[in-house]
Amino acid sequence: MNKKILLLGSGELGKEFVIAAQRIGQTVIAVDSYENAPAMQVAHGFEVINMLDGDALDAIVAKHNPDFIVPEIEAIRTERFYDYEKQGITVVPSAKAANFTMNRKAIRDLAAKELGLRTANYRYATSAEELQKAVAEVGIPCVVKPLMSSSGKGQSTIKSEEDIAKAWSYAVEGSRGDVVEVIVEAFVKFNSEITLLTVAQNGNPTLFCSPIGHRQERGDYQESWQPAAVSDKDLYEAQDMAEKVTEALGGAGLFGVEFFLTDEGVYFSELSPRPHDTGMVTLAATQNFSEFELHLRAILSLPIFEITLEKAGASAVILASENSDNPTFSGIEKIAALSKTDFRIFGKPTSRPYRRMGVVLTSDNLETPIENVVERAKEAARLITVNP
């Protein structure tokens, strides 16, 4: 069963997906806007195009005639996916899912208005003036995010009136694609955040991974851990919400569904129709299958009998601090000498401040307090320096 997969977006998550696909004999063509992207380094072939150019996207699809199109990023002309489905190509998880979730507006309206899930109070804005009005309606403090962005780019918290103009400029600067619009969310007083990796299967039940906790800075995750401490009541509510929204989107594959846990219950936050950055903790063998293996198996309609939690694990990011066209790393031998610790260097050809260049992975038995495992990951990540 050798299928051809066209991977749209070739970052570190795509790289791990390609490795999983290679292991079971699938063919992958990796696509991104720059050469030598991480996933290109391990794929069978690659293409460099602007994926917001619909004609360029059509040409690549026609050239390779893939069995599957697997999006890895937001900045894609996703409305073309419906045509590809009509041509008999499977878009992962589905054209609807990819189209809705590449834009925060569509997925938030689906969750809040159509499905009635509990979400933060929110408004949209397409100008600095509209942002001012939206902030007045949802209240301060609030969070501003571009409708199309990734890894926290363009996301900020408004704590006073003076922050509004700055938040608009930052959101426009961090926006991906050609949509200049933001979502303004009332600040949710949460106790913790979790990612619930949810696996939708063709003809088999939806499965859930053990919840993953994470901590963010600048809108981007810094550490993640599995399992996260979640009450049975909150976990059941999160699973119910995740199943409803993934079922509404359709198709098969792994979804990263984010929630806030509060005193009032669970709030739906966001959803990615693909492996999630916080799910890199599963590379520490915390589960019987990593999130990338689960995504691939669900796509290929390989039945997944169960997902079992095997170990406690944590991930901590390795960030660059400077711009470089030839970044190098020092301190790797120090991490290599640590027990129950591993690392991944993503192979990104350039660096910039706060760019995620790698990840440290720690693990231990399930009886170990998870905060100890997280602290080990953070300490290990501090041992590596990204040199310009």
Side-chain angles (χ1 to χ4, degrees):
M1 183 185 67
N2 181 358
K3 299 293 184 181
K4 185 186 279 189
I5 299 169
L6 191 66
L7 179 69
L8 301 181
S10 299
E12 59 267 29
L13 302 177
K15 184 174 190 174
E16 294 295 339
F17 174 78
V18 175
I19 292 169
Q22 292 271 23
R23 283 186 176 138
I24 60 171
Q26 308 308 299
T27 300
V28 185
I29 309 298
V31 183
D32 215 312
S33 59
Y34 66 98
E35 202 165 322
N36 201 30
M40 292 179 184
Q41 299 161 18
V42 291
H44 291 85
F46 70 90
E47 299 282 358
V48 178
I49 64 164
N50 172 9
M51 287 172 282
L52 286 167
D53 181 337
D55 293 339
L57 196 58
D58 287 348
I60 291 298
V61 171
K63 175 182 175 181
H64 291 284
N65 190 27
D67 298 293
F68 296 92
I69 291 174
V70 178
E72 192 237 20
I73 62 169
E74 288 80 6
I76 304 171
R77 189 60 64 205
T78 52
E79 61 270 19
R80 300 284 177 122
F81 288 174
Y82 294 105
D83 290 333
Y84 304 151
E85 275 192 344
K86 287 174 187 167
Q87 295 169 27
I89 300 168
T90 300
V91 176
V92 174
S94 67
K96 179 182 178 182
N99 209 43
F100 272 50
T101 54
M102 292 302 175
N103 184 313
R104 285 189 170 99
K105 189 173 195 172
I107 190 63
R108 177 56 62 90
D109 286 350
L110 171 71
K113 294 178 180 175
E114 288 188 41
L115 300 176
L117 306 187
R118 185 190 291 118
T119 71
N121 186 15
Y122 65 97
R123 298 290 187 277
Y124 301 114
T126 57
S127 67
E129 294 73 32
E130 285 186 14
L131 178 59
Q132 189 97 28
K133 182 169 177 280
V135 170
E137 290 177 3
V138 303
I140 293 175
C142 58
V143 179
V144 177
K145 305 173 189 175
L147 289 190
M148 287 182 70
S149 70
S150 66
S151 300
K153 293 181 182 69
Q155 182 174 321
S156 62
T157 301
I158 291 177
K159 296 175 182 173
S160 69
E161 293 272 345
E162 292 74 53
D163 294 335
I164 296 175
K166 191 169 62 179
W168 173 255
S169 300
Y170 185 60
V172 171
E173 184 187 312
S175 183
R176 297 180 78 160
D178 47 13
V179 178
V180 182
E181 188 171 4
V182 300
I183 183 170
V184 186
E185 296 180 330
F187 196 78
V188 175
K189 190 180 176 188
F190 59 88
N191 302 316
S192 61
E193 298 177 83
I194 63 164
T195 304
L196 188 62
L197 299 178
T198 302
V199 184
Q201 301 188 79
N202 284 316
N204 282 302
T206 295
L207 299 176
F208 304 99
C209 298
S210 184
I212 294 168
H214 52 92
R215 185 183 70 85
Q216 294 194 18
E217 279 181 25
R218 299 171 301 277
D220 201 5
Y221 110 97
Q222 304 300 298
E223 302 95 37
S224 65
W225 54 91
Q226 188 185 36
V230 182
S231 70
D232 290 344
K233 176 181 172 292
D234 283 352
L235 183 58
Y236 177 80
E237 192 173 0
Q239 289 177 344
D240 182 58
M241 287 187 186
E243 186 157 17
K244 280 177 180 168
V245 72
T246 55
E247 194 175 293
L249 292 169
L254 179 138
F255 294 78
V257 193
E258 293 181 62
F259 296 97
F260 296 122
L261 306 185
T262 77
D263 290 342
E264 295 81 49
V266 178
Y267 279 70
F268 172 85
S269 175
E270 292 193 358
L271 178 146
S272 300
R274 57 187 180 276
H276 200 272
D277 50 7
T278 61
M280 280 193 278
V281 66
T282 62
L283 293 171
T286 52
Q287 305 180 155
N288 55 335
F289 297 114
S290 75
E291 65 168 346
F292 308 100
E293 293 166 324
L294 290 169
H295 194 45
L296 179 70
R297 285 167 183 250
I299 289 166
L300 297 176
S301 296
L302 294 172
I304 302 162
F305 176 68
E306 63 179 346
I307 303 168
T308 57
L309 183 67
E310 301 292 326
K311 291 192 283 188
S315 75
V317 298
I318 299 167
L319 300 178
S321 58
E322 297 182 51
N323 291 302
S324 173
D325 290 329
N326 186 31
T328 59
F329 299 82
S330 54
I332 287 175
E333 66 287 345
K334 295 176 184 174
I335 288 185
L338 300 174
S339 68
K340 299 178 182 177
T341 305
D342 200 358
F343 62 94
R344 299 283 188 277
I345 301 298
F346 301 145
K348 293 179 179 177
T350 62
S351 69
R352 58 179 177 268
Y354 300 117
R355 190 176 199 193
R356 194 164 59 215
M357 304 298 289
V359 68
V360 170
L361 305 160
T362 52
S363 63
D364 217 315
N365 58 56
L366 287 168
E367 290 71 44
T368 305
I370 197 69
E371 53 270 23
N372 294 2
V373 186
V374 175
E375 193 53 42
R376 280 177 39 223
K378 290 165 68 174
E379 287 175 5
R382 286 193 281 267
L383 297 174
I384 287 193
T385 303
V386 182
N387 308 303

